Amino acid sequence: MASLETTVGKLRGLGYKATPQRLAVLEALSAEQHQSMEELRGRCPGVGLVTMYRTLDLLCETGLVRRLDLGAGPRYELAEDHHHHMICESCGGVSEFEECPVDTRSLTNMGFEVNAHSLEVYGRCAGCVEGGRR
Amino acid sequence: MASLETTVGKLRGLGYKATPQRLAVLEALSAEQHQSMEELRGRCPGVGLVTMYRTLDLLCETGLVRRLDLGAGPRYELAEDHHHHMICESCGGVSEFEECPVDTRSLTNMGFEVNAHSLEVYGRCAGCVEGGRR
DNA sequence: CATTAGATGAAAATATTTTTCAATTACGTA
DNA sequence: TACGTAATTGAAAAATATTTTCATCTAATG
Ligand SMILES: [Zn+2]
Ligand SMILES: [Zn+2]
Ligand SMILES: [Zn+2]
Ligand SMILES: [Zn+2]
């Protein structure tokens, strides 16, 4: 849970200006994880669409934000901690889990230099299983 | 490595017609894994764009094909075996590995019913590491 | 406060995907 | 084999999504 100030500091440190638009996007991102462009736009009235795209691109390139594919268009989230997503195929809900169930040592042993990984788990959430929802 | 006939048989079994267009798309898919729409189109001259989209949608819905996001637009591959992808951030190459390094038992224990998962590993391939490519 | 490289946004261009609907066809049945 | 029909196709248009352009503006520096 790095504060917004810390994140802005990193941006500045990389030579980027801390514009009101960028602050607004970061603010929007901190409201909720894995939001769509449309949701973020709703939280950033006053920020032009092009700037939204450019800002999110910049934040992704600098590693401050992750672009996700959970099955229905791009989603974005602050890249604060390492976690993964469970997507419920009944209700569409997305939840996160922190415990990383991936072991990439065998890839390293094969000569691949692992920088990052992304894992998505699909199924039915506890609520849908109990409620008998298909 | 199921043969095309087997795959077509599954389609028929589900009540879908085995049209020349569908056969062409399956043929194209069997030429190479994780192809883009553009690549598949190149292998299916004579199949209209709309039919390409519809056929790939159908194949994904029936589980015969997987739609992938490896970072640069959708890619498609026959869903024959369970495997994952390593994406080299230097040369852009995509390679597959069969040994699954994911253990989802802890999610099951939490009440989530796991149906499937997808894992992508990002880094540098052996070739790029040795060649010193950044 | 002046300077300036970097940033913004409106409009246009491009790319991607979906919808519509009339024409065609695969396939079961006679 | 011929027929009937529901499923399928594809051209065009529409809808969506993303990128490019370029004139204007501004954050940061001194
Ligand atoms: Zn659910
Ligand atoms: Zn992980
Ligand atoms: Zn490589
Ligand atoms: Zn796996």
Side-chain angles (χ1 to χ4, degrees):
Chain A
M1 309 189 174
S3 67
L4 270 198
E5 289 75 46
T6 309
T7 310
V8 174
K10 286 182 191 170
L11 259 194
R12 278 221 178 80
L14 289 166
Y16 297 106
K17 293 180 179 174
T19 66
Q21 290 89 343
R22 285 173 181 166
L23 298 183
V25 171
L26 284 171
E27 189 92 40
L29 284 163
S30 68
E32 195 179 345
Q33 290 290 67
H34 41 83
Q35 293 181 75
S36 65
M37 173 63 78
E38 194 182 332
E39 289 171 313
L40 289 169
R41 283 246 281 165
R43 288 195 155 90
C44 299
V47 178
L49 177 57
V50 182
T51 298
M52 293 296 294
Y53 276 108
R54 280 190 295 221
T55 302
L56 289 167
D57 280 354
L58 175 68
L59 294 172
C60 286
E61 275 162 24
T62 57
L64 296 168
V65 161
R66 270 189 296 262
R67 189 192 314 265
L68 309 172
D69 177 37
L70 305 178
R75 305 229 146 210
Y76 301 87
E77 69 179 16
L78 290 174
E80 292 179 337
D81 55 343
H82 181 79
H83 66 259
H84 298 295
H85 299 93
M86 295 184 285
I87 299 100
C88 176
E89 295 171 323
S90 289
C91 69
V94 176
S95 45
E96 306 186 341
F97 58 95
E98 313 289 329
E99 189 195 353
C100 179
V102 179
D103 179 355
T104 56
R105 278 173 298 182
S106 66
L107 302 182
T108 303
N109 292 340
M110 290 173 57
F112 191 88
E113 180 185 291
V114 175
N115 288 339
H117 65 253
S118 116
L119 168 72
E120 302 82 39
V121 179
Y122 298 89
R124 283 200 301 155
C125 69
C128 286
V129 170
E130 284 170 22
R133 284 183 287 268
R134 271 276 109 213
Chain B
M1 310 190 176
S3 67
L4 271 196
E5 289 76 46
T6 310
T7 310
V8 174
K10 285 183 191 168
L11 261 193
R12 277 222 179 80
L14 289 166
Y16 297 106
K17 293 181 179 175
T19 67
Q21 290 89 342
R22 285 172 181 166
L23 297 183
V25 172
L26 284 171
E27 189 92 40
L29 284 163
S30 68
E32 195 179 344
Q33 291 289 69
H34 41 83
Q35 292 181 74
S36 65
M37 173 63 79
E38 195 182 330
E39 289 171 313
L40 289 169
R41 282 245 283 165
R43 289 196 155 92
C44 298
V47 177
L49 178 56
V50 183
T51 299
M52 293 296 296
Y53 276 107
R54 280 189 295 221
T55 302
L56 289 167
D57 279 355
L58 174 68
L59 293 172
C60 287
E61 275 163 24
T62 57
L64 296 169
V65 162
R66 272 190 296 264
R67 190 191 315 264
L68 309 172
D69 176 38
L70 306 178
R75 304 230 149 210
Y76 302 87
E77 68 178 18
L78 291 174
E80 293 179 336
D81 56 342
H82 180 79
H83 66 259
H84 298 295
H85 298 94
M86 296 183 284
I87 299 100
C88 175
E89 295 171 322
S90 290
C91 70
V94 177
S95 45
E96 307 186 341
F97 57 96
E98 313 290 328
E99 190 195 350
C100 180
V102 179
D103 179 355
T104 56
R105 279 173 298 182
S106 66
L107 302 182
T108 304
N109 292 339
M110 290 173 57
F112 190 89
E113 180 185 289
V114 175
N115 288 341
H117 66 252
S118 108
L119 168 71
E120 301 84 36
V121 179
Y122 298 89
R124 283 199 303 154
C125 67
C128 285
V129 170
E130 285 170 22
R133 283 182 288 268
R134 270 277 110 212

